[in-house]
Amino acid sequence: MAPRKHFLSIVLFLCASVLLSGQHADGTDEPKVYIVHVKQPEGENFSAAEQWAPWYSSLLNRATGVLGLASEQDTAASRIIYSYRNVMTGFSARLTDKEVEAMSKLDWFLHAYPSRVYRPLTTHTPMFLGLRYGGHNVWNATNMGEGIIIGVLDTGVTPGHPSYDDHDMPPAPAKWKGRCDLNATVCNNKLIGAMSFIDYNNVTRRSTHEPIDYDGHGTHTSTTAAGAFVKGANANGNAKGVASGMAPRAHIAAYKVCYGDECQGHDILAGMDAAVDDGVDVLSLSLGGDSEPYHSDPIAQGGFNAINRGVFVSCSAGNSGPDHSTLSNDAPWLLTVGASTMDRSLLATVKLGDGQEFDGETLYQPHDFGSKMLPLMYPNANEQSSLCVSGSLDRFDVRGKIVLCDRGQNSRIEKGQVVQFGGGAGMIVANAPADGYATVADPHVLPASNVPYAYGLKIKSYINSTASPTATIIFKGTAMNTPHSPAMASFSSRGPSQITPVILKPDITGPGVSVLAAWNDQTFNMISGTSMSCPHLSGIAALIKKAHPDWSPAAIKSAIMTTAYVTDNSRGPILDERHLPADFFAMGAGHVNPPNAIDPGLVYDLTPQDYIPYLCGLYDSTYVQVIVRKHVDCSSVKSISEGELNYPSISVTLPANSSTSVSYTRTVTNVGEPKSTYTVKLDVPKEVSAGVTPTTLSFNEVNQKQSFSISFRRNGGGSGAVQGQLLWVSGKLEVRSPISIKLE
């Protein structure tokens, strides 16, 4: 991985190369930067990164006959800029159009295309999610969400932050009825509303009549969803560039419902009530708690009535992973969002006295730490000291040493404060088994690195192998194209839902690890959590709403889910914290894919009324009425199981020793080409037989509906959870539903 300064020079070079080639308007065939994909090497087993570059050079050397080499200095090898090995097999090089055309006939060639110039957004997630400028793309097709209002329920906003700048923004839509309880000069055409819903009798530390963010969380989430473009954004000097939210021209309405780390249920419900009345299009709630019955859950109740008014609701899945059944916000009418990584890392490599090196992460990247080897210690006298809990290191001499602390119990940043208080020079945070390979870039107070669990074991083994262990930390800054991205965050809460396990939850995953966005006491900060992934989906929902204003919240949700992808940038399955394929209880339908979500082809639609038979299957009439806000007599309603909802994902339970078939009916609505035909593709594990009737669906007009049935039967054997997928395919469109099967 390139150090940050190297990466920036690469960006500048690429920009200069493209700009230079763009100066030639006379049609001459000037060299420009191409990205060249090559066939996977046969019979080669490259064990080191350094082996790839010579191999690529040898391929290009074999192509000298097609290269217009102008001088002795202009060699095939000199044309290569970068050699790739993790995210693709191939290289980038300076080539002319004619050279590439001739090269395309060689046996090792797969594909080549000119390298385009992208804005180096610091949140990086817009680029990572395919939200770019130029050509036909999501931002162009939706005008970056202009006119859509995103209501964010959180800790408030930071007045005057540049991410709330309204340059070239239109006024709020005529339907907006909200107000701003900040100074009149603070709210504008970007931040159109700000209100506080705090039960003041329960707050004694500070007056909170104004929706000012004293925590930073609300500022971060609102600007992730819809922050304006801000040049020169960075976190502690890292990830420099232009920051923006997912829908940079959408309006933000902030509802302060949290004070510190407390968000009262009645405050939340009041905020949701006001937001729906004010005219928001999307609600974003990076809040959660223990799973409660829907009739006792303010977010579930408020969310149901929000969708009844056409408002899309995006919620965090929770940060209680990787244990199963730890979800928050699992009502089927809510979009429940898990957290995953992106392809950017802030590297801090631990180098041991015996030469071993282990990559970790940190946001704090000091330039003056040096490379001197320092004494290394692991204070494992007891569990408290190995965790570096406050006061536990008093009996140890940690002065001038690098201290290894186990992850868990207290916060990672607090561990560094404990080590610093004792005079420690640096810290290694070793993941617990549950965290596996999932590391986090934290703003530590001293030089530090968070390393995977497996690396922590090797470091401990080294400490035990010598009387005088030493180490240093090499800070490498921002690295791009991190392999195996995205991957699930260990903290992201998992399904199945405790209330309705036959509805697959979470629904989707999005970026939630080391996300850079606006902050209160510093301009930008980088933090992690499903609190960060939720507003990504809120902003993406705003873009879809702009592109399809007549779509229901369920249709938008379906588009997000059925177009998600389940492979990483190494072309393998999305992995979890163990480096094993993540299951659907971790990632739901997969990772959000905005370019495909605005054109899904088919959607699984649901009206609020469709949930009533399902709710009658869960609760008696009184509780159902609490949720839906109208009289319901469940004795006269034919109840349905959760599996019978017209949901974009499918979950089924097959009892042991049963040959009985379980069947569900689903209905899809055509939102693509008027005349189109879709063919089924079904993938289920060997323990199960499944069939779909009919196997083709033909449409003659937009909004036409077609139904199909899908049935499952056990083949015998097996137990636990297995999974498959259902796809409706039409040309380049694939409408994918994950299938989760519980074998009892």
Side-chain angles (χ1 to χ4, degrees), residues 123 125 129 154-155 215-225 246 284-287 314-319 337-340 342 440 489 491 509-519 525-540 592:
T123 58
T125 47
L129 294 171
D154 215 295
T155 62
D215 177 84
H217 193 273
T219 304
H220 198 282
T221 56
S222 61
T223 57
T224 297
M246 301 300 101
S284 185
L285 293 93
S286 292
L287 319 171
S314 174
C315 297
S316 297
N319 300 332
V337 186
S340 47
M342 64 186 97
V440 181
F491 59 75
T509 188
V513 177
S514 302
V515 175
L516 187 147
W519 201 245
N525 195 12
M526 188 177 285
I527 55 176
S528 302
T530 54
S531 283
M532 283 63 257
S533 54
C534 166
H536 280 91
L537 271 296
S538 306
I540 291 166
V592 64

Side-chain angles (χ1 to χ4, degrees), residues 35-58:
I35 295 172
V36 182
H37 291 253
V38 307
K39 294 178 181 177
Q40 196 72 19
E42 294 182 5
E44 299 283 357
N45 184 19
F46 297 148
S47 58
E50 294 77 12
Q51 294 176 284
W52 287 89
W55 182 66
Y56 291 139
S57 294
S58 71

Side-chain angles (χ1 to χ4, degrees), residues 149-312:
I149 304 170
I150 303 176
V152 182
L153 276 70
D154 215 295
T155 62
V157 293
T158 300
H161 195 285
S163 290
Y164 298 128
D165 183 81
D166 68 344
H167 175 70
D168 200 32
M169 285 280 296
K175 68 173 183 174
W176 171 246
K177 298 190 297 181
R179 71 173 194 265
C180 179
D181 289 341
L182 292 166
N183 184 295
T185 61
V186 172
C187 283
N188 53 26
N189 290 339
K190 163 58 75 175
L191 180 61
I192 60 173
M195 300 172 64
S196 180
F197 293 89
I198 301 293
D199 186 345
Y200 303 119
N201 292 330
N202 290 336
V203 176
T204 59
R205 290 166 289 177
R206 184 188 284 123
S207 173
T208 56
H209 289 274
E210 287 187 317
I212 294 175
D213 184 9
Y214 298 104
D215 177 84
H217 193 273
T219 304
H220 198 282
T221 56
S222 61
T223 57
T224 297
F229 291 100
V230 179
K231 295 180 180 179
N234 68 88
N236 292 359
N238 296 293
K240 294 180 180 178
V242 179
S244 86
M246 301 300 101
R249 291 183 65 81
H251 305 285
I252 296 171
Y255 300 86
K256 182 171 181 175
V257 298
C258 301
Y259 185 82
D261 60 357
E262 291 186 1
C263 313
Q264 299 291 331
H266 53 288
D267 293 337
I268 294 170
L269 203 53
M272 297 180 79
D273 193 63
V276 171
D277 189 57
D278 289 344
V280 303
D281 299 292
V282 176
L283 272 174
S284 185
L285 293 93
S286 292
L287 319 171
D290 293 336
S291 182
E292 297 286 347
Y294 303 144
H295 55 75
S296 302
D297 182 348
I299 294 179
Q301 294 171 30
F304 184 90
N305 291 287
I307 66 147
N308 200 30
R309 295 275 292 271
V311 178
F312 186 89

Side-chain angles (χ1 to χ4, degrees), residues 346-353 356-362 364-376 401-404 425-429 444 446-451 459 470-477:
L346 294 170
L347 290 179
T349 300
V350 176
K351 184 175 181 177
L352 304 181
Q356 294 186 84
E357 294 188 5
F358 303 102
D359 284 341
E361 287 197 85
T362 182
Y364 177 47
Q365 297 271 336
H367 299 292
D368 57 353
F369 188 64
S371 58
K372 180 182 177 181
M373 304 300 289
L374 299 174
L376 172 64
K401 299 177 182 178
I402 294 177
V403 181
L404 175 65
M427 176 180 66
I428 302 167
V429 179
H444 290 290
L446 80 172
S449 180
N450 175 207
V451 300
I459 295 171
T470 59
T472 190
I473 304 174
I474 305 168
F475 297 96
K476 298 181 177 179

Side-chain angles (χ1 to χ4, degrees), residues 366-587:
H367 299 292
D368 57 353
F369 188 64
S371 58
K372 180 182 177 181
M373 304 300 289
L374 299 174
L376 172 64
M377 67 174 295
Y378 176 43
N380 62 332
N382 54 57
E383 183 182 9
Q384 295 297 294
S385 62
S386 65
L387 291 166
C388 298
V389 173
S390 179
S392 67
L393 300 185
D394 293 349
R395 58 180 291 192
F396 297 94
D397 180 10
V398 303
R399 290 173 297 177
K401 299 177 182 178
I402 294 177
V403 181
L404 175 65
C405 303
D406 287 329
R407 182 171 171 179
Q409 191 169 326
N410 57 338
S411 75
R412 297 179 298 275
I413 293 175
E414 182 185 318
K415 296 176 192 295
Q417 294 169 336
V418 172
V419 172
Q420 184 186 56
F421 182 78
M427 176 180 66
I428 302 167
V429 179
N431 273 358
D435 300 306
Y437 289 89
T439 56
V440 181
D442 289 313
H444 290 290
V445 297
L446 80 172
S449 180
N450 175 207
V451 300
Y453 174 68
Y455 297 173
L457 291 179
K458 292 181 180 180
I459 295 171
K460 291 171 185 176
S461 177
Y462 161 72
I463 291 172
N464 292 330
S465 71
T466 177
S468 303
T470 59
T472 190
I473 304 174
I474 305 168
F475 297 96
K476 298 181 177 179
T478 307
M480 307 303 294
N481 298 326
T482 306
H484 301 297
S485 303
M488 291 306 303
S490 62
F491 59 75
S492 186
S493 290
R494 268 53 166 182
S497 163
Q498 294 185 43
I499 298 175
T500 52
V502 185
I503 294 177
L504 181 60
K505 288 282 183 170
D507 296 304
I508 197 76
T509 188
V513 177
S514 302
V515 175
L516 187 147
W519 201 245
N520 65 327
D521 57 3
Q522 60 190 60
T523 311
F524 290 91
N525 195 12
M526 188 177 285
I527 55 176
S528 302
T530 54
S531 283
M532 283 63 257
S533 54
C534 166
H536 280 91
L537 271 296
S538 306
I540 291 166
L543 298 176
I544 300 173
K545 180 76 172 178
K546 175 67 176 182
H548 305 285
D550 58 331
W551 282 12
S552 69
I556 295 173
K557 180 177 180 177
S558 175
I560 289 170
M561 292 175 63
T562 62
T563 58
Y565 61 86
V566 292
T567 55
D568 64 18
N569 62 359
S570 302
R571 299 184 181 180
I574 291 176
L575 303 178
D576 64 15
E577 69 286 344
R578 303 166 297 174
H579 275 190
L580 297 175
D583 62 26
F584 293 157
F585 295 134
M587 64 178 178

